[in-house]
Amino acid sequence: MINLEDYWYRKNVLSFVLLPVSWLFCLVALVRRKFYELRNSIWPRIPAPVIVVGNLTVGGTGKSPMVIWLAHLLKANGYKPGIISRGYGGKAKKWPRMVTGKSDPELVGDEPVMIAHRTGVPLAVGPKRNKAGRMLVKKFGCNVIVSDDGLQHYAMARDIEIAMIDSKRRFGNGFCLPAGPLRESPRRLKEVDFVVVTGRAGNGEFVMGLTGDTVVNLRDPSVTQSLGAFRHQKVNAIAGIGNPQRFFDMLSANGIEVVGHPFPDHHRYTLNDVRFDDEVPLIMTEKDAVKCREFAGSNHWYLPIAAVPDRAFAKQLITRLRRLKRG
């Protein structure tokens, strides 16, 4: 079976064969966006400023760490933020639905549970983000809404757009789906408010680092260890995220001998996925951890990741938000 993602980061025969479909995809995306922009100009919107954190490509770009960082930044500046998300993969029957750090990821999705645990702010999920946002404003008095993903969810009006980019992958081969990883043309970046790059940033872009130096025991979260304690040791590492290699590289950069086991994004884990024949430690991402607690072993750990954006970005974002509020 062909895995298209293996072809998205270089130009090849398959990508050129799919190019006509790619052009059609980009055209439909553009028409759809223009339609919703017109509709949103006359329809009721969420009664609070909306900040969207999204990306142009399929795959991980650091959106979740950015959302977590934003929630803390907004609280530190006197706001009452709320977070909305699609709740990808959630099987709940009724939407929108509130999420806490103890919610079942099977019902509401893995990323919302992780974000709720890390931020402690009101978080609601649902396919219709407008309803989720209105619920947070009405029920909790949230005065700014952060949308986890949703750059292409044009049914929701927004005030500030933050586009995330992975510095190593960038835009892959530069083609839209299915010939490449793009959901929209890169020209879309000219219209967003901020472009934030995990890694090395270019002109007009803000840089964001990712850091994590303490692992948490999955069975007993009160037990922690320095990541440095695993230096020169062999560990199994699992990652069911958009870009598993970035997680494995982070561990390797700390002198750890990594045996990587990548899984599809939002993978639903079973006991066999985390059971290995050896006795070496297992380290996973925080998003994986919320789905693996029920069969955690004593030597299973997860690594919380924190975003470290450019200070100038934080200053400009708060300034832009305050101007919106005055307007």
Side-chain angles (χ1 to χ4, degrees):
M1 184 176 180
I2 294 176
N3 182 1
L4 285 178
E5 191 168 351
D6 294 336
Y7 294 84
W8 283 347
Y9 295 94
R10 63 185 188 275
K11 293 182 179 179
N12 49 72
V13 173
L14 181 59
S15 65
F16 282 109
V17 168
L18 294 172
L19 199 52
V21 185
S22 175
W23 292 335
L24 179 61
F25 184 96
C26 277
L27 177 61
V28 171
L30 176 62
V31 172
R32 179 175 171 274
R33 177 162 65 90
K34 295 301 181 183
F35 166 76
Y36 278 115
E37 285 176 353
L38 178 62
R39 195 202 71 166
N40 289 340
S41 67
I42 57 176
W43 278 39
R45 54 175 296 158
I46 296 174
V50 175
I51 303 173
V52 171
V53 179
N55 55 8
L56 295 186
T57 58
V58 174
T61 54
K63 293 189 301 295
S64 295
M66 169 59 76
V67 169
I68 293 169
W69 175 85
L70 268 177
H72 292 300
L73 175 73
L74 292 168
K75 287 195 294 184
N77 281 272
Y79 291 97
K80 293 182 178 179
I83 299 172
I84 57 177
S85 175
R86 167 67 176 82
Y88 182 86
K91 297 180 179 179
K93 301 297 184 182
K94 294 182 179 180
W95 308 98
R97 191 180 184 97
M98 294 301 301
V99 178
T100 71
K102 295 182 179 180
S103 294
D104 184 353
E106 286 286 314
L107 294 178
V108 298
D110 47 22
E111 287 175 348
V113 175
M114 178 192 73
I115 293 171
H117 173 72
R118 288 283 295 275
T119 63
V121 307
L123 193 156
V125 297
K128 297 181 178 179
R129 290 178 176 86
N130 282 318
K131 286 187 176 181
R134 291 190 189 101
M135 182 172 73
L136 293 181
V137 174
K138 182 177 180 180
K139 193 171 182 179
F140 297 95
C142 296
N143 56 13
V144 59
I145 300 296
V146 178
S147 176
D148 175 32
D149 209 353
L151 190 62
Q152 289 78 35
H153 185 69
Y154 291 114
M156 177 185 65
R158 68 286 305 271
D159 300 278
I160 297 175
E161 293 181 322
I162 302 171
M164 305 293 299
I165 298 175
D166 177 78
S167 63
K168 291 184 178 179
R169 291 183 163 191
R170 298 293 296 190
F171 309 122
N173 58 17
F175 297 149
C176 282
L177 293 164
L182 286 166
R183 297 168 173 171
E184 295 182 89
S185 166
R187 291 190 295 271
R188 175 74 172 85
L189 291 180
K190 295 180 180 180
E191 302 176 15
V192 305
D193 298 278
F194 300 98
V195 178
V196 180
V197 181
T198 53
R200 181 176 295 180
N203 291 334
E205 301 172 344
F206 293 96
V207 67
M208 183 182 84
L210 295 173
T211 183
D213 57 12
T214 302
V215 293
V216 181
N217 188 266
L218 205 57
R219 179 177 288 181
D220 183 359
S222 67
V223 178
T224 62
Q225 278 199 76
S226 165
L227 191 60
F230 295 92
R231 185 178 297 275
H232 306 309
Q233 288 189 40
K234 178 181 177 181
V235 305
N236 287 304
I238 63 173
I241 57 178
N243 186 1
Q245 191 58 47
R246 185 170 63 199
F247 179 68
F248 301 151
D249 289 345
M250 176 176 285
L251 297 179
S252 297
N254 281 271
I256 299 172
E257 183 184 342
V258 177
V259 180
H261 305 274
F263 288 91
D265 198 9
H266 305 289
H267 179 69
R268 287 187 170 89
Y269 287 94
T270 66
L271 177 59
N272 289 333
D273 292 329
V274 299
R275 177 184 288 170
F276 300 97
D277 294 333
D278 49 35
E279 298 296 324
V280 302
L282 171 64
I283 301 179
M284 64 186 71
T285 73
E286 190 173 12
K287 188 168 86 168
D288 298 314
V290 302
K291 296 173 288 187
C292 296
R293 288 194 176 101
E294 60 182 284
F295 36 77
S298 59
N299 211 12
H300 290 177
W301 308 82
Y302 71 88
L303 178 64
I305 299 297
V308 186
D310 190 324
R311 291 184 179 179
F313 167 67
K315 183 177 180 180
Q316 291 187 30
L317 177 68
I318 294 298
T319 298
R320 180 76 59 89
L321 185 59
R322 285 172 177 161
R323 288 174 179 169
L324 284 175
K325 295 291 286 184
R326 284 199 297 270

